[in-house]
Amino acid sequence: MTSRSDLKEASLRRILTAGASRLRAEGLSGAAIAPVMQDAGLTHGAFYAHFNNKDELAAAAFRFALLDNRPRWMGQARKESWPGRLLRLGKRYLAMAHRDDLADSCALAALASDAARSNPGFKKVYEEELRKSLRAICNSPDEGRPIDPARLDDAIAFMALCVGGISLARAVDDPVFSEQILTVCRQAIQRMATPDNESTSNVEVPDHGKG
Amino acid sequence: MTSRSDLKEASLRRILTAGASRLRAEGLSGAAIAPVMQDAGLTHGAFYAHFNNKDELAAAAFRFALLDNRPRWMGQARKESWPGRLLRLGKRYLAMAHRDDLADSCALAALASDAARSNPGFKKVYEEELRKSLRAICNSPDEGRPIDPARLDDAIAFMALCVGGISLARAVDDPVFSEQILTVCRQAIQRMATPDNESTSNVEVPDHGKG
DNA sequence: GTTCTCGTATGATGTTGATCATGCGAAAGC
DNA sequence: GCTTTCGCATGATCAACATCATACGAGAAC
């Protein structure tokens, strides 16, 4: 029934899925071959039928993680203003659900520090995926055309705030403090997205009260 | 001349210095005991006279990195507006010099993703140091009193943008793109810091031209 | 100056992990 | 149906690494 090439393809998919999860949960150096293969229902020996070395897995799994997640995040094309788009994406990104689901989270944030320490090969992959995500944020699916520069700048600042915000929120131990970080960053995106005194629906109101 | 306790203290200082560098350059799991001890001019066996295990070194070296860097960054107390302070700090943080000097950089950024994956013990340490840095940004040296809440929120968003920005700038391979990330984030801090249409000196002008 | 203390060095141990050589068994080709 | 192919499993090898037991040797205490 299932030809060997189909089998291999399915195995590769399982390896990539497992690798993408472990990569985000345990980092570049943490995601070891044997556990990934075990997650995929295979033994460590089979690994080298699919990749030449661990670095290749890291690059492929990183790509896979974003290939898998990006469409889910961007959703269908819809009518929305540019600030409204950033607000909507930021609200979902800087959320507790995303913060707590590290293994299925945005790989750009989960591996930011790791990529900063990595070899140029992995940085190249990281850069490509970041560019694709920025393009997706800007809603410019046409890869041939350049992105509108003003929007690209907005998207870069947006991504930096998102990556930094969720990283800090994950790195602290106190859940109250962690939520505060997420909330403040969402509000910062609002201020960043709405150029001036425009009133926006669903505006989060800063609350400095004690209760 | 040098008593044994003086010797041990000096050794500990060298271990912490080396550990703090390697921690930032190679991450939580990358900074191994033997290389750190070698950097400190000792052999691996001496390690356990100073720490019970590797986790203790990580926590102590992380603290040391920030204890060492924070005063250098904040500088002397000076007269400056709150937006002016954020602008000044952001300009220095989101700079190529800081981006390229990973081993002596801000540990909060260098280890953000690592801390996100770490055990609660390290997260607690990370959180304490983050709180101290936020307090320092807010220029409230009195540890007893709470920080002005509005300033704290500003400082949190500021830190998130700084951490995310420099992490992204380090993670990409193309130096032009990397500089663009830094520039855009500095501009975002300007917009974030100046509430409305206030004119500020030394404003960076966005440049979307091709030349 | 003899003994004790303790900071450090040497060396061992057990573990983890990357990589590869080899072999099995089922599908593919004839 | 026989042979070949090849995806996968088993097992070995080698290196890195955390941890600990033991020993040395110089300062400290008397």
Side-chain angles (χ1 to χ4, degrees), chain A residues 88-106:
Chain A
R88 179 175 62 84
L89 293 175
K91 200 165 265 190
R92 180 154 165 219
Y93 197 103
L94 293 161
M96 285 170 54
H98 183 211
R99 178 197 65 187
D100 296 335
D101 190 14
L102 191 52
D104 196 31
S105 67
C106 170

Side-chain angles (χ1 to χ4, degrees), chain A residues 58-116:
Chain A
F62 182 75
R63 280 207 184 90
F64 185 80
L66 280 147
L67 187 70
D68 194 42
N69 264 6
R70 203 178 285 118
R72 297 213 321 253
W73 277 82
M74 298 308 164
Q76 298 300 319
R78 66 180 80 186
K79 279 188 194 303
E80 57 190 345
S81 68
W82 174 235
R85 181 173 177 81
L86 292 182
L87 256 62
R88 179 175 62 84
L89 293 175
K91 200 165 265 190
R92 180 154 165 219
Y93 197 103
L94 293 161
M96 285 170 54
H98 183 211
R99 178 197 65 187
D100 296 335
D101 190 14
L102 191 52
D104 196 31
S105 67
C106 170
L108 291 168
L111 295 173
S113 303
D114 299 78

Side-chain angles (χ1 to χ4, degrees), chain A residues 1-10:
Chain A
M1 283 299 106
T2 57
S3 75
R4 269 173 306 171
S5 68
D6 286 350
L7 188 102
K8 186 169 185 182
E9 200 182 336

Side-chain angles (χ1 to χ4, degrees), chain B residues 4 7-8 11 43-45 50:
Chain B
R4 268 173 306 170
L7 186 99
K8 187 170 184 181
S11 292
T43 60
H44 63 279
H50 297 273

